[in-house]
Amino acid sequence: MTSNNTNQKMAKKFRLSSQLAPHLVIFQLWLIFASASPAKKGWIVRRDVEELIETTNEFEQPKEQKVENALPRIYFMEIVSDIRLRYASTKVTSKVANPADKAQEATFHVVLPDTAFISSFLMEIDGKVYKASVKEKEEAQTDYQNAVDAGLSAAQVTANARDANQFTVSVNVEPQAKMLFNLTYEELLTRRRGIYEQAIHVSPGSVVPQMSVRVNIFETLPINKITVPQLRGNDIEQNQDLSENEVAKIIRTNETVVSVVYEPTETQQIQSSKDGLQGQFVVQYDVDRSSIEKKGGEIHVVDGYFVHFFAPTTLPALPKHVIFVLDTSGSMAGTRIEQTKQAMNSILDQLREDDLFSVVEFSTGVAEWDLRKPYKGLEPYYYNVPSEDTTEVPQTNVTELEENFGLFDDIFAYPVTERSIKRAKEFVNTMDVTSSTNINDALLLALKNSQSVQSRLRLTPIIIFLTDGEPTSGVVDKTEILANVRKGNSDDVVSIFSLAFGTGTDYDFLTKISSQNRGFARKIYEAADATLQLKGFFDEVASPLLNNVRFVYNKDGPVHDVTETNVPNFFKGTEFVVAGRIDSDSKLSASITGTGASGSFLFPDIRPVIDDYILLPNPNNSVVETVPAKKSFSLEKIWAYMTIQDMLKKRQIVDDAKAIAEFNGKALNLSLTYGFVTPLTSLVVVKPNSTPAATDVRPADGGSSGFHSAGIFAAALPDYQLGAIPPYLVPESLPLEESTSGFENEEWFSTTEAELTTESTSLLQYNASPFSADEWINNFEHNATHVKMPTNNDTLELLWQDELPDTGYGSCYAYGVHNIVCKSIWKCSHFMPESRPYAGPFLNADSACVIENKYVGICCHLGSTLSDPVFPDTTLTSEYVTDIALIGDDVVLTSDLVVKS
């Protein structure tokens, strides 16, 4: 950096180059349809331009808007979700009209649950249907690598939605033409806190003339609960505003079949807001299990496949020992620690009288809370709090503080009494933040605490582990931490539930900790309702009903490919589901064993229920018909979906490479067989008329997960003329290449090869700028060790000291420029303005990147620019493809064209 202007520019949020704005005409219609699972789902339609006023005809425009300036508009939206035995198949349909006299680009954008698999995508243009296909990820990836290496960049839209992924594809809409998008995704609904929930995000950004959402629920047990609350915002937990949605209609065909129809008029949409509907359309339901409560659950068998739903509702809760492991490191400062305190005050009130509780606090140091003594905070370090300022709880009766709370005070485990809860709340309210993050020692101390209690009293041991960062103190190698925790829990009796607070955590790492230790991980989003999220999570695990549950079918007889049959803990309000295959000439029986509050638990002989009816909607989706059970719907898709999810989960638990390969292989084969887009497959769209696409799947929760979480961004470009850009350099934000049927701009095809070469050479001239770490760091709030870097909806605290070697930590990109890598700010002499890392959290600071999830870095230019065409020895074909790509919980950005010699 050589000037204050340059410094200020680097601290600003990433945006298009000022050179680009006068010349680039962007027509982008954001169509966002989604379902954020299981509680955040839906579609959104948005424009980054002034909205059109309400009209009744798809081509009708406001009088003051000229036809040549009219934007594409959505005149029809329909979402139909058919839920059969809790398995939801959701079809999103959108129709778009382009009223202008020139071609314009439309982007179809879907936010879908992170547990859902896309099973179909098609576009209909001029009466022709273009259907996507599913390929193995590595096979599809090979075709794209050359284009990725060329530094191509496309605009990205991000819609914040929790627990969700995104799908995007862009196409050209001809003048005065219409087109249709259709996408289907499938998932098994999860029962939480006693309900199933389907939520559809409805925030169009404008009034839509024809819009409807329909949810059809088909069950074999009576549907005894059905609620449709008011539209809710994305940042409100599901236990909030449950007042009735007066616009939605609940239609009961019989006791097992219910449809919910939501068709807001244009007037009703305007009443919601001037920009139309904004919120999530939610349907919550449950079934009456009284007829099967003593029969061991609900088993269905159809055509050689079976599914078993188990959700007992009348069992008493088991007493538990809860160990709260709370992160009070420096990064928890501010809102996070305050929301944690609020949540803990509420959670402590939810403990039952027969429970025990302990608390382990950690930053650089770790300590168990001793309620018999005054609170002593952990050794201050990061926030420069003087060590002598240790805060003690105000005390009016020293004698009382020295009294025992119960029989296990010596091992720091306390009974649930009025006095112990009051004392614990005083400790909670006195917590302060300091220092680094010692995850290894905190978990090992919690496991030791649990073992001490288990040696004297048998309770259900549960660790609730809350952190907002990564290991930065003590043992920091994650593989070593995983091994240490497994060794500390060698008897495999303690369940660890990990809560990832904010976007600075390694969620994959926390997921693996929990998966290997009888638990699961959950994201806590940094928002106004974070306290409610924490409390809501505890509600889910507060009442264990059974331990070590095991399902056995036909006594290990003729059943095949059965999903997970062992459950460490079964909690009140949840449901466990098993699916498998059975020989067509065999009868199915099952047994369930486990440990409950009264001792051993057994259902010895469970038989399938009899399906009297198949549940099918008729073609107009308004009336449900019933057909004899002999034609019952297939359970095969449920089995395939559950088996894939089971394989993906099991690969997180094991460390053996051969076993992981076997799990991946089985999941891949099923994904290809059933056409599911999973972490191992890609959806390939060959778009009509050789138009380039821009499709990807990314996390939609605003978090990092290894990829950008920004709003909209594109590569910065110098001046150019549209007719002279080589086809392989066209970014998504440009008007797409026209087809041969009806597009006006024939100049696009008339550019000569010489002109292309000349313009591409000019287009790719970029200069790096001098960089000074000392000057740059002063643009941001920082102390002696950490700097606060803003993201889209969060702030990361990253190390900025000179501790890293002179090497690259991943690639960065800028339009048309190679040789950019993420490096330590102290090892870079020239940075590339308007560049971004290919992977990692998206920082709202120009050219900034994150190294090893804890250091701030800069996109450093290595000294050369690309001045030749990207593929000088390649003849381009007119085939463009896009890829939807996931690896684990991360997303691979692959939206490029295929180049063939």
Side-chain angles (χ1 to χ4, degrees), residues 779-839:
N779 289 290
F780 308 97
E781 182 181 351
H782 66 283
N783 62 14
T785 58
H786 289 72
V787 59
K788 293 186 177 181
M789 302 297 297
T791 68
N792 192 44
N793 61 353
D794 196 5
T795 299
L796 301 183
E797 294 183 358
L798 302 172
L799 292 168
W800 66 278
Q801 295 172 313
D802 188 3
E803 299 176 352
L804 296 172
D806 187 5
T807 186
Y809 293 88
S811 299
C812 298
Y813 66 87
Y815 190 78
V817 184
H818 285 177
N819 299 325
I820 313 174
V821 297
C822 181
K823 296 183 66 174
S824 165
I825 61 174
W826 300 100
K827 303 300 190 293
C828 181
S829 61
H830 288 77
F831 82 104
M832 178 55 63
E834 307 287 6
S835 57
R836 277 284 171 257
Y838 271 113

Side-chain angles (χ1 to χ4, degrees), residues 340-523:
T340 300
K341 291 178 180 180
Q342 294 170 17
M344 281 301 300
N345 273 280
S346 177
I347 288 171
L348 287 168
D349 286 334
Q350 297 178 59
L351 295 171
R352 295 194 306 272
E353 291 184 357
D354 54 356
D355 292 338
L356 289 180
F357 72 96
S358 304
V359 180
V360 172
E361 182 182 349
F362 74 98
S363 55
T364 298
V366 300
E368 298 165 291
W369 280 3
D370 186 348
L371 299 185
R372 299 168 298 175
K373 300 178 181 179
Y375 174 79
K376 184 177 181 180
L378 299 173
E379 185 68 22
Y381 172 76
Y382 171 43
Y383 276 92
N384 302 317
V385 180
S387 58
E388 62 270 15
D389 286 352
T390 300
T391 304
E392 295 188 357
V393 177
Q395 46 184 301
T396 59
N397 190 333
V398 176
T399 302
E400 181 182 0
L401 293 179
E402 295 175 350
E403 292 180 356
N404 291 334
F405 289 90
L407 299 176
F408 307 100
D409 292 1
D410 59 316
I411 53 176
F412 309 111
Y414 306 100
V416 178
T417 64
E418 181 179 352
R419 192 163 61 88
S420 67
I421 295 302
K422 179 182 178 181
R423 187 78 173 125
K425 287 182 178 181
E426 291 174 349
F427 274 43
V428 165
N429 295 331
T430 314
M431 287 192 305
D432 200 2
V433 296
T434 178
S435 212
S436 302
T437 310
N438 192 339
I439 290 177
N440 182 80
D441 290 357
L443 288 175
L444 293 185
L445 183 58
L447 288 168
K448 180 181 178 181
N449 180 287
S450 174
Q451 291 168 350
S452 298
V453 171
Q454 292 299 308
S455 67
R456 293 159 62 173
L457 180 66
R458 287 294 178 181
L459 298 175
T460 300
I462 294 174
I463 290 176
I464 295 182
F465 168 48
L466 170 69
T467 183
D468 74 333
E470 300 202 38
T472 58
S473 178
V475 178
V476 297
D477 182 82
K478 295 173 185 176
T479 301
E480 186 177 351
I481 294 174
L482 288 169
N484 291 342
V485 173
R486 286 295 296 141
K487 183 178 180 180
N489 194 22
S490 58
D491 52 359
D492 196 31
V493 298
V494 183
S495 296
I496 301 178
F497 298 98
S498 300
L499 300 178
F501 201 153
T503 59
T505 58
D506 184 341
Y507 187 64
D508 288 341
F509 172 57
L510 298 186
T511 298
K512 196 149 193 172
I513 288 177
S514 293
S515 297
Q516 293 183 351
N517 292 276
R518 300 166 59 94
F520 55 84
R522 183 74 54 80
K523 293 180 181 179

Side-chain angles (χ1 to χ4, degrees), residues 716-736:
L717 304 176
D719 296 344
Y720 61 84
Q721 295 181 356
L722 291 178
I725 297 180
Y728 50 85
L729 295 178
V730 179
E732 179 195 339
S733 54
L734 297 183
L736 299 179

Side-chain angles (χ1 to χ4, degrees), residues 111-238:
V111 180
L112 62 152
D114 58 1
T115 57
F117 296 152
I118 293 175
S119 58
S120 175
F121 175 70
L122 60 85
M123 298 179 294
E124 182 177 331
I125 306 173
D126 294 332
K128 296 181 180 179
V129 176
Y130 301 87
K131 189 172 183 179
S133 60
V134 176
K135 298 174 64 176
E136 181 179 359
K137 186 175 299 297
E138 291 185 2
E139 178 184 353
Q141 190 88 357
T142 301
D143 294 334
Y144 309 141
Q145 195 56 52
N146 286 339
V148 172
D149 290 342
L152 294 178
S153 168
Q156 177 199 355
V157 182
T158 293
N160 286 338
R162 296 173 178 177
D163 304 315
N165 291 316
Q166 300 183 70
F167 167 93
T168 306
V169 64
S170 299
V171 296
N172 227 27
V173 185
E174 296 185 25
Q176 299 290 319
K178 305 176 187 178
M179 70 176 302
L180 176 146
F181 296 100
N182 187 297
L183 180 136
T184 301
Y185 60 84
E186 304 180 25
E187 62 169 331
L188 185 68
L189 299 184
T190 302
R191 187 170 184 258
R192 290 181 179 171
R193 291 178 251 177
I195 60 170
Y196 305 100
E197 180 173 280
Q198 179 78 312
I200 299 172
H201 200 130
V202 186
S203 296
S206 66
V207 175
V208 180
Q210 301 178 57
M211 181 165 64
S212 68
V213 182
R214 178 181 296 272
V215 178
N216 301 313
I217 305 172
F218 311 103
E219 295 287 348
T220 56
L221 296 175
I223 299 172
N224 64 345
K225 294 180 183 177
I226 179 76
T227 58
V228 185
Q230 292 287 348
L231 295 184
R232 71 178 181 213
N234 186 54
D235 287 345
I236 303 300
E237 265 292 273
Q238 69 178 33

